Amino acid sequence: VGVPGCGASLHELTKALRIGLNANATCVWQIQKNANQTIRLIFSYFQFAPSSSCETESIKVYDGPSTNSPLLGQVCNDTDAVPVLQSSSDSLTFLITTNSVAFTRNFFVLYYFFSQGKEIENCGGQLTGPNGTFTSPNYPAPYPEFTYCVWHIRTAKNSKINLHFQDFFLELDQNCRFDFTAVYDGLSTNTGLIGKVCGRSQFTFESSANVMTVVLSTDYANSYRGFSAQYTSAPLPGPVEPNTFLTCSSDSMKIVLSKSYLTSLGYNKTHIQLNDPSCSPVIEDSVIFSFPLASCGTTKKDEGQSITYTNIISLSATDNIITRQKNVEIIAKCKMENNSTIEVIYITKNDIIQNITAVERYNVSMSFYDSDSFSKPIHESPYYVDLNQILFAQVSLHSTDPNLLVFVDTCIASPQPDFGSPTYDLIRSGCNKDDTVVTYPPLEHYGRFKFNAFRFLRSFPSVYLQCDILICDSKEANSRCTEGCISRQKRAVSSYTWKTNTVVGPIRLKRDLRSADHSESSTKADAEETLNLQQYSFYALSFVVLISNIIIVAAVILKY
């Protein structure tokens, strides 16, 4: 293994590099040879300075002879994969930059030229049955050199995969730099790494959903018998309704969590706390947090025409040193606006976000649709899209009043569910701020627009939308809903009946696709409306029975 300095020009057909760099390094390695073959580059081990970001420290790989060639990929401190990159020709360049932190960075890199289309028997493939077996090439004989195999396992929906290596023998190394097997939770090899293993043992892995990927990578020396693996599938536990309620008043906030929902997540009351841990819940049939708005760590944000109070319930395994449970946060917001109360609650599970919205006077929801016919809503969450794909969004007002009109006043995008910095304006005061945005004319209870999918820079994985919605009386000739794009100064004289906002997301690029435990999406507005109707019917029937009893008693008294 060579010990190069800061950069080099490499012309061998294969080479392993052990690289050690200190602070403030900017080093370029160029790989090129007239071999009429492509290059596979593997970073089987990388150690950046602690807490470094992609902006300050990274490995950038370029598909060509210089750093002016197209960017093929980037490796950072938080890369959740074993990076394997392939060139499209016989040249490739990678650049390593480090920040000013005094720390010795270590990298192990292997590259080799190979011919596309040259197949190795039993090397990768698609496995789709409920259970099955597969082996490394040549098993139980030694596996070939320069092997790179990828198996994609997919079982039935609403199931998870258990993978067990019955026999496993790869070259042993403390960091598995030479020969290794990597297991991913999902179909991508760019993220979702469950584990990277080598040596001799019997390993077991479990996915969070019905897809898993297994990778075998070997170098040019010390081949052993490889592995024999078996996978089985098991049904995922049935989803438990969140059964989470938020009630806001002008001076307090009340959050109710059902015990069955907490149990389904693997938590009990000892794992639950607000921003201020000293504020304890009341444990009855449910877990109830009730507290004044200005207490228990509640944050207040003045947004001009409204004030938002936010608190967070955290569910985590605080009693242990390690955990295999997913962290869950329940973000409760009370928004006071125009003498109305809007309640918004998000439930997040390791980057998967759902939202439940309850509105005092009007029920408003926002969804994505698959076309401009707005007939088929998108129910999946997260919503995975292609860059520049046209997205169709519709805001719906659920009301029996036919004389109401919906207008999308402002829509902002953010990579954060709390819409902190950075944000990006799609629509502002009825004016399209993004070149791809097209708004449709107001149509009774629907506000519609479309735009092209984008992503935020700096490797943010998600995009959330928050839209301010105006509801107007359609009988009013010069209402704000019919004026379209106007300036801020002119907007003050326009009238509208009510204002609220609604949130939808997250949106993610398909290349970032990874499986979550199970996707749940959708608003509970219709269910809550049905519940209110049932409660109203019950109260009405009770009232009729009470009056009937009073009349009967009065008649008996008069008779006697």
Side-chain angles (χ1 to χ4, degrees), residues 407-409 428-431 439 442 470 479-487 491 494:
F407 179 72
V408 181
D409 180 72
R428 175 68 64 178
S429 301
C431 304
T439 54
L470 304 184
S479 71
R480 175 69 187 92
C481 295
T482 59
E483 290 181 343
C485 174
I486 60 174
S487 65
R491 179 176 54 173
S494 303

Side-chain angles (χ1 to χ4, degrees), residues 117-178:
K118 186 178 180 181
E119 304 254 340
I120 299 176
E121 191 175 354
N122 294 330
C123 181
Q126 304 286 333
L127 304 171
T128 56
N131 51 71
T133 60
F134 60 100
T135 65
S136 57
N138 296 346
Y139 178 84
Y143 44 77
E145 63 180 12
F146 301 125
T147 296
Y148 185 74
C149 308
V150 181
W151 290 268
H152 294 293
I153 306 172
R154 185 190 293 270
T155 57
K157 290 184 177 180
N158 299 319
S159 67
K160 61 181 179 180
I161 300 169
N162 292 289
L163 176 67
H164 177 62
F165 289 96
Q166 300 161 306
D167 184 26
F168 190 95
F169 193 3
L170 270 64
E171 183 177 1
L172 177 62
D173 178 70
Q174 181 180 359
N175 296 310
C176 296
R177 296 172 298 175
F178 310 122

Side-chain angles (χ1 to χ4, degrees), residues 470-507:
L470 304 184
I471 300 172
C472 309
D473 188 343
S474 60
K475 293 182 177 180
E476 191 171 340
N478 297 318
S479 71
R480 175 69 187 92
C481 295
T482 59
E483 290 181 343
C485 174
I486 60 174
S487 65
R488 182 177 298 270
Q489 291 79 6
K490 187 178 179 182
R491 179 176 54 173
V493 302
S494 303
S495 63
Y496 52 86
T497 302
W498 193 68
K499 179 180 179 181
T500 184
N501 66 33
T502 185
V503 176
V504 69
I507 311 164

Side-chain angles (χ1 to χ4, degrees), residues 339-463:
N339 298 321
S340 299
T341 302
I342 303 165
E343 300 151 4
V344 182
I345 187 165
Y346 308 96
I347 300 175
T348 69
K349 300 180 184 178
N350 280 20
D351 300 332
I352 305 304
I353 185 167
Q354 308 156 7
N355 63 70
I356 304 167
T357 304
V359 179
E360 282 287 320
R361 290 163 53 193
Y362 294 119
N363 185 355
V364 178
S365 63
M366 181 163 63
S367 300
F368 290 109
Y369 286 75
D370 64 345
S371 69
D372 59 2
S373 66
F374 294 96
S375 58
K376 185 178 179 182
I378 303 296
H379 295 298
E380 65 183 87
S381 177
Y383 179 23
Y384 289 97
V385 302
D386 291 313
L387 201 61
N388 263 323
Q389 176 180 332
I390 298 177
L391 307 185
F392 302 90
Q394 174 176 284
V395 176
S396 303
L397 169 64
H398 308 281
S399 172
T400 56
D401 186 350
N403 299 318
L404 295 177
L405 204 58
V406 173
F407 179 72
V408 181
D409 180 72
T410 296
C411 267
I412 63 172
S414 173
Q416 308 292 344
D418 60 355
F419 292 87
S421 180
T423 60
Y424 177 73
D425 285 359
L426 291 173
I427 303 171
R428 175 68 64 178
S429 301
C431 304
N432 298 341
K433 296 299 183 180
D434 182 273
D435 293 338
T436 67
V437 172
V438 176
T439 54
Y440 296 80
L443 177 65
E444 297 179 349
H445 291 178
Y446 304 103
R448 296 168 173 173
F449 64 98
K450 65 180 181 180
F451 63 99
N452 289 10
F454 61 94
R455 67 178 180 87
F456 283 90
L457 298 177
R458 301 186 180 179
S459 301
F460 288 111
S462 304
V463 177

